[in-house]
């Protein structure tokens, strides 16, 4: 495999177009295959010199300020970045980078702005090649990933998996050490990775979830799609329902984690409290490429103020202000006006102030509870900077789910959101009905069965390198959760004399808690895992709907390996194709499809399967909704297609479950999930 990649690198120089200088007004945009090629080699061995000769040459000869007509802002962003560079104000290379560090984030966004203001691909890629040699590697990777996600120039580019671009953030340090030894001795190696901790730590039972590289990728990719620093006036468009998406994606992570805990005979995670002891410590067993080990946190410590960040008292004050807004039903805006949150849109406003982002109506008053909490919790191993430790795992979206305290923190946030949701008036039967439509039956074709499998990924980019020494195959193998394929079979009767548009919503929640006590309908619906959401046109009469587990709108397949991306791209270019057949991987923001259902257990863990068929015409926020049945709703650009709140119709409290059980368009039955 590595030999093929080396051959591809050698052949890249011949395949690369002659970009030259930016003074050719007649030039045309390169193909999607060429853009994919460029991004591959910009990120390949990102801590080393560029290996592609053409890119390397551009990185040396290109002048970003030579012709500012190729920027939509007339070069304002590039002038600012170049000045910082010439004044030696930028973070040096070979140093850790954290998005939660204000200055480092500003520097990364300076580069991002240069990419985003590039009018054409030649300008974009030339700036990337130039600044790759000059800015901090972590800042470069973040800026390039964010730009590829948001730039119209890179609509069809698939980003390589971050766990192969920056393996240190995802791989235990003892495995990284073995990778270095393999490189130094020129001996190919495949090394087994184990999850952190030992069997003496009960949290080890669910480490396969928080430490899964696919889940880590989902979390960081979502925050790239919906970054907390986003400002419409600078970026040019609005991120629809960004605050509500923040709530929903983390709510789903929390309820999924609780389901995994129940699958392993553990209680649901307790919420974190600022004035109570943090019982669970955490030893990351990971190291920065440059900057030392990730800090550990011992068991049973009390929160301390973090020097230069926040006092615990400040976080309590911010929490009280948010809860006060929920109690009053409005948020106080910066100008003193009241923003009503006692409605379906209120969750979006709350998400904006809790995260927070520039979308917050009053960031000065409500602060940034979520982001500040991540830093404070991440620094508890060295709160006063006494040992000058680098940032903790909670200060990186790539690594934060590795720490079980991440889920305690988000259970705390989630309960604040629930306080708001429970304050809203419950839906009436009339609001939930879909006239003339009834679910006749729901069944599952195939077993609800999970299993563990080995997954291998490359560590070639983890080790120091030189072009004079050939690569050897170095990889790690880790155990991960998967499930057998299955399908939902749903029979829906349309008793109307005309065709209707329907939204099909599928959820599941644990039947019992860890003490084997059944959850009430109201408690269960808050713990509901969203399994799918899609649209169908229903003809008069009985409609047989079959929905495969692989088609779920909330999940994504595994991104191809870096090697595979390079090989596929070079094969497409060699064949003269303008595209690479990798379109299904363009969005990596969903939960890994492997995690669609929880692990379950050997006896079969009971879940309540819920299917709701709602009025698609009333649900639709865009035209031709039925034609937009394949999209990942965690990372949708433009107007969000579904008018309903995330989690509908289970998003509000249910005082009387009989309302749902009397609905003809609602179905519930118990299923079992097995793990073998």
């Amino acid at each position: 495999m590595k030999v093929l990649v080396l051959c591809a690198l050698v052949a890249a120089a011949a395949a690369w177009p002659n970009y030259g200088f930016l003074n050719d007004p007649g030039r045309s945009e390169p193909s999607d295959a060429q853009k994919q090629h460029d991004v591959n080699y910009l990120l390949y061995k990102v801590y080393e010199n560029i290996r592609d000769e053409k890119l390397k040459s551009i990185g040396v000869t290109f002048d970003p300020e030579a012709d500012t007509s190729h920027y939509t802002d007339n070069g304002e962003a590039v002038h600012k970045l170049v000045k910082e560079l010439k004044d030696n104000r930028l973070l040096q290379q070979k140093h850790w980078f954290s998005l939660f560090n204000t200055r480092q984030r500003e520097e990364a966004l300076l580069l991002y702005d240069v990419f985003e203001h590039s009018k054409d691909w030649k300008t974009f890629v030339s700036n990337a090649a130039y600044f790759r040699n000059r800015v901090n590697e972590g800042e470069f990777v973040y800026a390039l990933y964010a730009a590829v996600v948001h730039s119209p120039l890179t609509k069809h580019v698939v980003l390589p998996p971050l766990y192969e671009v920056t393996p240190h953030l995802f791989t235990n340090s003892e495995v990284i050490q073995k990778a270095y030894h393999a490189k130094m001795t020129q001996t190919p190696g495949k090394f087994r990775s184990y999850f952190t901790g030992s069997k003496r730590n009960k949290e080890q039972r669910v480490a396969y979830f928080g430490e899964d590289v696919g889940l880590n990728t989902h979390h960081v990719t979502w925050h790239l799609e919906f970054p907390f620093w986003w400002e419409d006036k600078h970026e040019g468009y609005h991120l629809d329902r960004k605050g509500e998406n923040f709530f929903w994606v983390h709510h789903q992570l929390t309820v999924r984690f609780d389901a995994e805990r129940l699958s392993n005979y553990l209680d649901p995670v307790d919420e974190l409290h600022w004035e109570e002891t943090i019982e669970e410590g955490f030893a990351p067993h990971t190291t920065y490429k440059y900057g030392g080990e990730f800090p550990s946190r011992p068991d049973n410590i009390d929160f301390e103020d973090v020097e230069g960040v926040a006092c615990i008292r400040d976080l309590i004050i911010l929490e009280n202000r948010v809860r006060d807004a929920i109690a009053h039903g409005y948020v106080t805006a910066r100008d003193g006006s009241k923003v009503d949150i006692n409605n379906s849109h209120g969750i979006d406003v709350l998400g904006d102030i809790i995260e927070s982002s520039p979308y917050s109506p009053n960031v000065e008053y409500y602060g940034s509870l979520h982001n500040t909490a991540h830093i404070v919790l991440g620094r508890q191993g060295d709160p006063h900077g006494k040992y000058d430790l680098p940032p903790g795992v909670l200060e990186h979206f790539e690594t934060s789910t590795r720490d079980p305290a991440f889920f305690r923190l988000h259970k705390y946030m989630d309960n604040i959101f629930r306080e708001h949701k429970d304050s809203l008036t419950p839906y009436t039967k009339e609001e939930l009905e879909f006239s003339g439509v009834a679910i006749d039956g729901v069944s599952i074709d195939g077993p609800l069965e999970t299993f563990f499998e080995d997954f291998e990924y490359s560590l070639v980019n983890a080790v120091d390198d030189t072009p004079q020494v050939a690569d050897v195959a170095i990889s790690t193998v880790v155990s991960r959760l998967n499930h057998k394929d299955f399908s939902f079979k749903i029979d829906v009767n349309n008793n109307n004399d005309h065709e209707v548009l329907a939204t099909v919503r599928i959820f599941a929640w644990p039947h019992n808690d860890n003490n084997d006590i059944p959850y009430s309908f109201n408690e269960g619906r808050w713990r509901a895992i969203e399994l799918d959401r899609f649209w169908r046109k229903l003809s008069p009469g009985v409609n047989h709907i079959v929905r495969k587990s692989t088609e779920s709108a909330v999940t994504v397949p595994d991104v191809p390996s870096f090697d595979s991306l390079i090989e596929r791209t070079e094969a497409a270019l060699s064949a003269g194709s303008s595209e690479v057949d990798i379109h299904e991987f363009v969005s990596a923001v969903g939960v890994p499809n492997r995690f669609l259902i929880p692990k379950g257990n050997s006896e079969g863990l009971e879940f309540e399967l819920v299917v709701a068929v709602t009025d698609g015409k009333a649900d639709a926020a865009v035209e031709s909704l039925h034609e937009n049945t394949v999209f990942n709703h965690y990372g949708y650009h433009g107007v969000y297609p579904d008018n309903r709140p995330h989690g509908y119709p289970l998003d509000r409290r249910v005082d009387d479950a009989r309302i749902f059980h009397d609905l003809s368009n609602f179905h519930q039955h118990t299923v079992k999930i097995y793990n073998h």
Side-chain angles (χ1 to χ4, degrees), residues 148-166:
V148 169
V149 166
H150 293 285
S151 174
L153 296 172
T154 50
K155 187 176 180 181
H156 302 296
V157 170
V158 173
L159 286 160
L162 266 171
Y163 50 83
E164 291 192 330
V165 175
T166 54

Side-chain angles (χ1 to χ4, degrees), residues 241 244 344 421 427 505 533 643-648 651:
R241 292 167 67 173
E244 184 186 8
S344 295
K421 281 287 190 176
Y427 295 116
R505 307 168 188 273
R533 189 190 327 183
N643 261 328
R644 304 294 188 181
H646 288 316
Y648 177 84
D651 61 303

Side-chain angles (χ1 to χ4, degrees), residues 357-385:
S357 73
Y359 284 17
S360 171
N362 195 344
V363 70
E364 290 84 0
Y365 182 71
Y366 294 104
S368 180
L369 182 60
H370 168 263
N371 292 353
T372 306
H374 260 267
I375 301 172
V376 168
L377 181 55
R379 297 274 182 92
Q380 288 307 303
D382 184 25
H384 307 299

Side-chain angles (χ1 to χ4, degrees), residues 238-410:
H238 182 71
L239 296 177
D240 194 33
R241 292 167 67 173
K242 178 179 176 296
E244 184 186 8
N245 284 337
F246 168 79
F247 150 69
W248 185 246
V249 74
H250 291 92
H251 172 69
Q252 283 296 293
L253 281 176
T254 304
V255 297
R256 284 179 177 274
F257 185 62
D258 278 348
E260 298 299 339
R261 295 178 69 85
L262 289 173
S263 297
N264 291 278
Y265 308 99
L266 295 171
D267 288 327
V269 69
D270 290 327
E271 69 173 308
L272 172 150
H273 293 282
W274 299 117
E275 296 174 304
E276 294 182 9
T277 299
I278 314 171
E279 294 180 0
E280 303 88 1
F282 181 63
H285 285 243
T286 47
T287 183
Y288 287 93
K289 172 77 171 178
Y290 300 100
E293 296 279 342
F294 278 87
S296 296
R297 182 184 65 252
D299 287 342
N300 299 313
I301 64 169
D302 295 325
F303 275 106
E304 293 190 43
D305 299 341
V306 175
E307 202 104 351
V309 176
C311 299
I312 300 304
R313 181 188 68 248
D314 297 335
L315 291 169
I316 295 172
I317 290 172
L318 294 180
E319 175 193 338
N320 289 338
R321 288 174 178 175
V322 173
R323 292 188 187 276
D324 189 57
I326 294 169
H328 284 87
Y330 64 84
V331 164
T332 303
R334 189 178 291 107
D335 62 2
S337 61
K338 297 178 180 179
V339 180
D340 184 18
I341 60 171
N342 195 27
N343 50 50
S344 295
H345 179 66
I347 193 72
D348 193 38
V349 178
L350 273 180
D352 287 335
I353 68 171
I354 289 175
E355 187 181 18
S356 84
S357 73
Y359 284 17
S360 171
N362 195 344
V363 70
E364 290 84 0
Y365 182 71
Y366 294 104
S368 180
L369 182 60
H370 168 263
N371 292 353
T372 306
H374 260 267
I375 301 172
V376 168
L377 181 55
R379 297 274 182 92
Q380 288 307 303
D382 184 25
H384 307 299
K386 180 179 179 181
Y387 305 105
D388 195 25
L389 297 179
V393 295
L394 284 159
E395 293 176 74
H396 300 271
F397 291 129
E398 300 95 325
T399 59
S400 55
T401 63
R402 294 173 67 92
D403 187 343
F406 167 88
F407 296 100
R408 288 195 62 192
L409 174 62
H410 278 282

Side-chain angles (χ1 to χ4, degrees), residues 108-127:
L109 294 184
L110 286 175
L111 180 56
Y112 167 83
D113 285 343
V114 173
F115 294 148
E116 286 298 285
H117 288 295
S118 297
K119 287 183 177 179
D120 51 64
W121 183 248
K122 185 182 290 189
T123 309
F124 184 112
V125 77
S126 298
N127 274 297

Side-chain angles (χ1 to χ4, degrees), residues 39-106:
V39 171
N40 289 345
Y41 291 129
L42 284 167
L43 291 168
Y44 186 72
K45 295 184 181 295
V46 73
Y47 287 95
E48 311 296 335
N49 293 326
I50 301 176
R51 294 305 172 83
D52 183 275
E53 290 303 320
K54 294 285 179 69
L55 273 173
K56 186 176 181 180
S57 175
I58 288 176
V60 173
T61 61
F62 176 66
D63 182 357
E65 298 180 290
D67 187 351
T68 57
S69 68
H70 295 293
Y71 301 100
T72 57
D73 64 346
N74 295 318
E76 180 180 341
V78 78
H79 287 324
K80 187 181 298 184
L81 179 57
V82 170
K83 185 177 189 306
E84 294 288 296
L85 179 65
K86 290 180 177 178
D87 289 346
N88 292 318
R89 286 175 48 83
L90 299 180
L91 180 68
Q92 71 266 32
Q93 293 189 321
K94 308 292 190 288
H95 190 285
W96 57 260
F97 161 73
S98 171
L99 192 67
F100 286 93
N101 181 294
T102 303
R103 173 58 189 173
Q104 293 178 6
R105 180 174 67 252
E106 290 172 350

